[in-house]
Amino acid sequence: MALNERIITEAILTEYFEKFKECLDLDVAIVGGGPSGLTAAYRLAKDGYKVALFERKLSIGGGMWGGGMTFNYIVVQEESKHLLEEIGVPVKHFRDEYYTADAVACTTTLASRACLAGTKVFNCMSVEDVVLREVDGVKRVCGLVINSSPVEIAGLHVDPLVLHTKFIIEATGHDVEVLKTLVRKNDVRLLTPSGGIEGEQSMWAEVAETNTVKNTREVFPGVYVAGMAANASFGSYRMGPIFGGMLLSGEKVAAEIAGLLRSGAY
Ligand code: 48F
């Protein structure tokens, strides 16, 4: 069979835009393809929800590829290792309640499980804003404003595109970007103690790990925070290359949103 470049191009365009059109109305839009966003995507897609994940970079995986300081192993605790075991990543006991896993195996396997479960992934796509609506006197985020990352990087003046979603998971990590944009542009109060973004504090692994899960919750109608973005929103600490909290955060946010979607109220 003679290969035809035109058909190759047509195949890519057809598939991509079919996927894009399918994602114009989502159950859950996840911003950020780090460990918390990927875990949430995996669980929600596995449960049959319509989920898309938007990642600015070419590769998904966020801060998990490089372990600690590029030494590519991660550490997880006893209570989070079930998540790695569930997706088939070998976990090795280190000492006491510490376990290690290969960072590249974790990242690639989690990414693969999220994709194969049905998450529609849009890499090289930056979320630059949200859609805000007021219904019955309550403001709610109900969509994402997205643009191609090369457009963003080049600083080109190109208008974005928009999709609607029932829930957003803000999993952009330390910079908590989507929430910052929401607060900067609108007269809104978050469900944080100050009503704004509390900001991340310096390293304290033990407290940070517990708080990552505790802080994983609704932060504004329609928006849940997960992973490091949850700690940055609620003013907790960073924790370095221990990843149990990130995985548990993804698991928690997926379970909470799935419960709400199941209730039929959305
Ligand atoms: O930072 P990141 O890995 O988030 P996480 O799931 O995990 C944190 C850990 O990696 C590590 C840690 C563990 O102890 O502290 O830092 O909380 O991944 C966040 C992803 O979001 C993407 C960014 O490129 C990264 O891959 N991202 C950030 N802003 C945007 C975005 C945006 N506006 N649009 C799309 N993607």
Side-chain angles (χ1 to χ4, degrees):
M1 189 194 78
L3 278 178
N4 183 325
E5 303 86 353
R6 191 206 147 279
I7 297 175
I8 296 170
T9 304
E10 187 183 341
I12 290 170
L13 294 180
T14 304
E15 290 302 316
Y16 188 81
F17 288 105
E18 213 162 274
K19 173 171 88 165
F20 207 151
K21 275 196 281 183
E22 265 177 43
C23 291
L24 292 180
D25 285 292
L26 292 166
D27 288 327
V28 189
I30 301 173
V31 192
S36 64
L38 283 174
T39 305
Y42 162 61
R43 281 293 173 87
L44 284 161
K46 195 155 109 9
D47 283 352
Y49 296 107
K50 209 169 155 191
V51 186
L53 185 147
F54 300 87
E55 167 56 53
R56 165 182 285 141
K57 295 190 178 146
L58 193 52
S59 62
I60 53 176
M64 195 156 61
W65 291 99
M69 214 181 81
T70 76
F71 305 155
N72 58 7
Y73 278 84
I74 64 162
V75 172
V76 296
Q77 312 84 312
E78 176 90 52
E79 64 270 24
S80 50
K81 74 179 173 63
H82 67 274
L83 272 156
L84 295 181
E85 288 167 347
E86 178 183 327
I87 61 171
V89 174
V91 176
K92 195 168 145 199
H93 185 232
F94 181 70
R95 188 182 301 158
D96 305 321
E97 296 191 353
Y98 297 84
Y99 293 82
T100 58
D102 181 300
V104 176
C106 288
T107 311
T108 51
T109 309
L110 189 52
S112 164
R113 291 284 184 269
C115 291
L116 297 179
T119 306
K120 307 291 186 218
V121 174
F122 293 85
N123 56 338
C124 242
M125 198 68 88
S126 295
V127 174
E128 61 171 56
D129 205 345
V130 296
V131 181
L132 189 65
R133 289 280 186 282
E134 192 166 330
V135 181
D136 300 331
V138 179
K139 283 184 180 156
R140 183 178 175 89
V141 169
C142 59
L144 287 181
V145 178
I146 59 176
N147 215 329
S148 157
S149 296
V151 165
E152 181 191 58
I153 292 160
L156 301 177
H157 188 169
V158 178
D159 268 314
L161 291 174
V162 179
L163 58 98
H164 284 177
T165 184
K166 293 173 183 161
F167 292 97
I168 288 170
I169 299 178
E170 153 53 289
T172 62
H174 299 264
D175 292 335
V176 66
E177 267 197 34
V178 175
L179 217 50
K180 269 189 190 152
T181 304
L182 172 69
V183 170
R184 179 169 48 83
K185 290 195 164 187
N186 303 283
D187 180 20
V188 292
R189 275 187 72 78
L190 303 179
L191 300 167
T192 56
S194 70
I197 294 164
E198 308 296 340
E200 179 187 305
Q201 299 189 63
S202 294
M203 180 81 75
W204 190 354
E206 189 183 346
V207 179
E209 280 291 281
T210 312
N211 283 353
T212 305
V213 181
K214 211 167 84 192
N215 293 332
T216 297
R217 52 182 146 131
E218 188 183 36
V219 69
F220 187 79
V223 185
Y224 278 68
V225 272
M228 210 46 229
N231 277 349
S233 301
F234 286 92
S236 190
Y237 302 87
R238 66 183 304 192
M239 76 292 289
I242 180 150
F243 281 76
M246 296 300 137
L247 304 176
L248 293 174
S249 169
E251 183 179 50
K252 178 182 171 185
V253 76
E256 287 202 6
I257 292 177
L260 293 168
L261 289 168
R262 260 197 313 275
S263 76
Y266 293 90

